[in-house]
């Protein structure tokens, strides 16, 4: 079952969303997902991409917000390029205008790649990594899944490296230290 479908499992969806969305939100808190207005964050991403782009502008790199990653995964092609990054920004701004943060994160969790063999969506990722439904994940398992993003081909929650474990521990510590940080994505 994908997050956000059906009414019968509302409590289970809330539990899965709480762990995964909390882990994902705390993963991005160092970029201030809650702290800066969306437009400033996107403009900062453009500036960062331009600064890090190759001289020929063939490849752009830079941190993306969850909304930018969602826009890329929904509307654009994989890979890195200056053109894709430039197209990503207005799409992300549009998404921020029409969707609440909670819905953007829910879409992101359901379309992000979570495994090395094309496991898309949090449910498929949880089943691949831990052999169980996303709604049954512990906070630690959700943090491990968050730690493999944005590259689940190189990183694994099933067989986490030291770096993945450190990132997961960091996300769990952030969640414990700032329990209200992910309030915008938790159930009301």
């Amino acid at each position: 079952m994908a997050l956000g479908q059906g009414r019968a499992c509302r409590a289970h969806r809330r539990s899965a969303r709480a762990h995964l969305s909390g882990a994902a939100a705390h993963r991005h808190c160092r970029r201030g997902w809650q702290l800066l207005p969306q437009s400033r964050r996107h403009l900062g991403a453009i500036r960062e991409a331009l600064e890090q782009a190759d001289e020929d502008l063939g490849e752009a790199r830079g941190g993306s917000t969850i909304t930018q990653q969602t826009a890329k995964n929904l509307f654009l092609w994989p890979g890195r390029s200056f053109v894709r990054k430039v197209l990503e920004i207005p799409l992300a701004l549009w998404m921020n205008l029409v969707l609440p943060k909670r819905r953007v994160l829910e879409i992101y969790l359901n379309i992000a790649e979570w495994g090395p063999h094309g496991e898309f969506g949090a449910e498929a990722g949880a089943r691949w990594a831990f052999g169980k439904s996303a709604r049954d994940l512990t906070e630690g398992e959700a943090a491990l899944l968050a730690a493999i993003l944005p590259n689940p081909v190189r990183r694994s929650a099933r067989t986490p490296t030291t770096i993945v474990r450190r990132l997961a521990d960091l996300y769990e510590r952030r969640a414990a230290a700032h329990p209200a940080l992910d309030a915008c994505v938790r159930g009301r």
Side-chain angles (χ1 to χ4, degrees), residues 28-38 41 101 181:
H28 285 272
C29 75
R30 68 186 162 96
R31 289 196 177 95
W33 198 46
Q34 305 262 87
L35 303 176
L36 292 175
Q38 289 292 336
R41 237 174 293 129
K101 288 180 186 179
L181 185 64

Side-chain angles (χ1 to χ4, degrees), residues 56-76:
D56 65 353
L57 298 179
E59 181 177 324
R61 295 184 61 162
S64 295
T65 65
I66 288 176
T67 307
Q68 286 175 287
Q69 291 176 37
T70 303
K72 176 195 68 142
N73 290 343
L74 270 176
F75 303 114
L76 303 172

Side-chain angles (χ1 to χ4, degrees), residues 89 95 101 105 120 129-130 138-139:
I89 303 303
M95 288 177 69
K101 288 180 186 179
L105 188 56
F120 287 90
F130 304 110
T138 66
E139 288 182 15

Side-chain angles (χ1 to χ4, degrees), residues 34-97:
Q34 305 262 87
L35 303 176
L36 292 175
Q38 289 292 336
S39 58
R40 284 184 54 202
R41 237 174 293 129
H42 295 304
L43 293 174
I46 291 173
R47 187 178 324 109
E48 184 176 344
L50 287 171
E51 289 170 359
Q52 294 183 8
D54 289 341
E55 288 183 25
D56 65 353
L57 298 179
E59 181 177 324
R61 295 184 61 162
S64 295
T65 65
I66 288 176
T67 307
Q68 286 175 287
Q69 291 176 37
T70 303
K72 176 195 68 142
N73 290 343
L74 270 176
F75 303 114
L76 303 172
W77 61 93
R80 294 179 177 153
S81 76
F82 178 74
V83 173
R84 197 214 67 212
K85 186 60 106 173
V86 168
L87 293 172
E88 186 180 295
I89 303 303
L91 289 169
L93 290 169
W94 172 77
M95 288 177 69
N96 281 327
L97 289 173

